[in-house]
């Protein structure tokens, strides 16, 4: 493979390390995890350039007999062409709220069960990060994310989201009279991600403390954990985070 074909992404999406305690090399472990992802057709962000351009696809099947994995085509035809022409594709997905990442040496077009699909060899190593390694995105300054939390025997409270990850959110902008205390669980909370949709989930408050804004206004801030996210919701949050990162990097490049 030519050096120019190698994928060298920046920021939070990085090449697989050569040595890491989270790097799986056992074929049995890798196949087991990939089959679990294929069973739920896990959404995958497939990066194909050093500028962190990516396409959204899904893992369809794992064939140990031929040592191949099959991925769905992207809705974008231009992205499909880019994936086929790329010498290396970096795949990022989520399994049980844990980030999973692996490299594929390019994708070839084939058919699976009568439909077009991509095929590639089963990767010989795979990175599976622990939960504490979630990447937490600070909400861009030009966006306002809101979360509506239903309260028992009270009107729902709307709070501002300061940061978001696959594990949870940080919220701010409510008064001490609002009973958001550590350990409490709130169901049917609503989060709107502009351009991606609305998430309905349960939140558990992990910590709460007083906070003073630069303006001098006193408020409260809390860290919250998502409970029992569906694979579809995890994929939506992942796509939102990756898209914000892509926009941020694009702006930095424009300033250079």
């Amino acid at each position: 493979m030519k050096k120019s074909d190698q994928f060298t992404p920046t920021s939070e999406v990085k090449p697989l390390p050569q040595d890491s305690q989270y790097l799986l090399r056992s074929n049995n472990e890798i196949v087991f995890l990939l089959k679990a992802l294929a069973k739920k057709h896990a959404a995958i962000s497939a990066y194909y350039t050093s500028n962190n351009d990516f396409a959204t696809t899904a893992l369809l099947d794992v064939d140990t007999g031929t040592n191949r994995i099959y991925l769905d085509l992207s809705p974008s035809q231009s992205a499909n062409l880019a994936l086929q022409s790329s010498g290396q594709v970096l795949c990022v997905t989520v399994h049980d709220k844990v980030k999973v990442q692996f490299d594929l040496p390019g994708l070839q077009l084939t058919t699976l069960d009568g439909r077009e699909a991509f095929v590639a060899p089963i990767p010989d190593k795979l990175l599976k990060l622990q939960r504490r390694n979630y990447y937490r995105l600070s909400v861009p300054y030009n966006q306002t994310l809101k979360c509506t939390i239903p309260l028992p025997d009270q009107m729902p409270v709307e709070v501002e989201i300061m940061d978001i990850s696959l594990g949870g959110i940080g919220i701010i902008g409510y008064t001490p009279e609002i009973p958001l205390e550590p350990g409490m669980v709130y169901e049917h909370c609503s989060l709107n991600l502009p351009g991606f949709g609305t998430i309905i989930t349960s939140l558990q408050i992990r910590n709460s403390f007083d906070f003073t804004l630069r303006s001098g206004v006193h408020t409260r801030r809390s860290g919250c954990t998502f409970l029992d996210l569906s694979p579809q919701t995890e994929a939506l949050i992942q796509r939102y985070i990756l898209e914000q990162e892509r926009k941020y990097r694009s702006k930095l490049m424009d300033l250079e």
Side-chain angles (χ1 to χ4, degrees):
M1 181 185 301
K2 297 179 181 179
K3 185 175 181 180
S4 60
D5 293 332
Q6 293 180 355
F7 179 68
T8 54
T10 58
S11 189
E12 293 299 324
V13 183
K14 301 177 181 179
L16 290 184
Q18 294 301 312
D19 186 21
S20 169
Q21 60 178 316
Y22 308 119
L23 198 63
L24 302 182
R25 296 183 181 274
S26 165
N27 180 259
N28 289 338
E29 288 184 293
I30 292 172
V31 167
F32 180 84
L33 180 54
L34 290 176
K35 284 188 173 182
L37 291 167
K39 185 176 181 180
K40 61 180 183 180
H41 286 187
I44 289 177
S45 296
Y47 291 81
Y48 51 84
T49 74
S50 59
N51 293 328
N52 274 4
D53 294 321
F54 70 93
T56 300
T57 178
L59 186 56
L60 299 178
D61 194 20
V62 180
D63 187 343
T64 55
T66 60
N67 194 46
R68 293 180 174 183
I69 62 172
Y70 294 86
L71 281 73
D72 200 5
L73 267 62
S74 167
S76 168
Q77 183 59 29
S78 60
N80 289 329
L81 293 174
L83 287 170
Q84 292 179 73
S85 61
S86 177
Q88 185 176 9
V89 177
L90 189 152
C91 297
V92 181
T93 185
V94 175
H95 178 64
D96 290 340
K97 298 184 180 181
V98 176
K99 180 180 176 181
V100 175
Q101 182 176 319
F102 55 91
D103 287 339
L104 297 176
L107 300 176
Q108 295 182 351
L109 198 61
T110 186
T111 57
L112 178 68
D113 298 330
R115 56 184 276 190
E116 286 190 315
F118 287 126
V119 65
I122 293 175
D124 58 2
K125 56 182 178 291
L126 181 149
L127 187 68
K128 182 181 180 183
L129 294 179
Q130 292 187 355
R131 294 171 189 261
R132 66 173 178 268
N133 289 282
Y134 283 146
Y135 169 60
R136 186 168 293 274
L137 171 79
S138 295
V139 175
Y141 69 91
N142 59 347
Q143 284 194 21
T144 300
L145 295 190
K146 296 289 187 178
C147 175
T148 301
I149 303 177
L151 299 177
D153 304 320
Q154 296 185 45
M155 293 291 292
V157 59
E158 186 178 69
V159 296
E160 184 175 348
I161 299 174
M162 298 294 293
D163 52 63
I164 183 170
S165 74
L166 288 171
I169 56 175
I171 60 174
I172 198 171
Y174 64 95
T175 62
E177 290 75 23
I178 303 298
L180 301 183
E181 298 300 329
M184 299 183 73
V185 175
Y186 297 91
E187 299 180 343
H188 309 299
C189 300
S190 174
L191 290 72
N192 180 44
L193 302 180
F196 289 81
T198 299
I199 295 171
I200 305 297
T201 183
S202 296
L203 291 175
Q204 182 176 37
I205 309 300
R206 300 303 300 270
N207 54 69
S208 293
F209 52 91
D210 294 328
F211 191 79
T212 302
L213 301 176
R214 291 182 179 179
S215 61
V217 174
H218 297 286
T219 182
R220 294 276 288 174
R221 180 168 182 168
S222 294
C224 310
T225 299
F226 293 132
L227 299 180
D228 302 322
L229 287 183
S230 68
Q232 293 79 10
T233 301
E234 288 182 350
L236 189 150
I237 295 173
Q238 180 192 27
R239 290 197 299 271
Y240 171 79
I241 291 174
L242 292 173
E243 176 63 12
Q244 303 315 308
E245 278 292 287
R246 186 192 67 79
K247 289 180 179 179
Y248 176 71
R249 286 189 293 271
S250 178
K251 288 182 179 179
L252 289 181
M253 293 178 64
D254 290 341
L255 294 175
E256 293 179 353

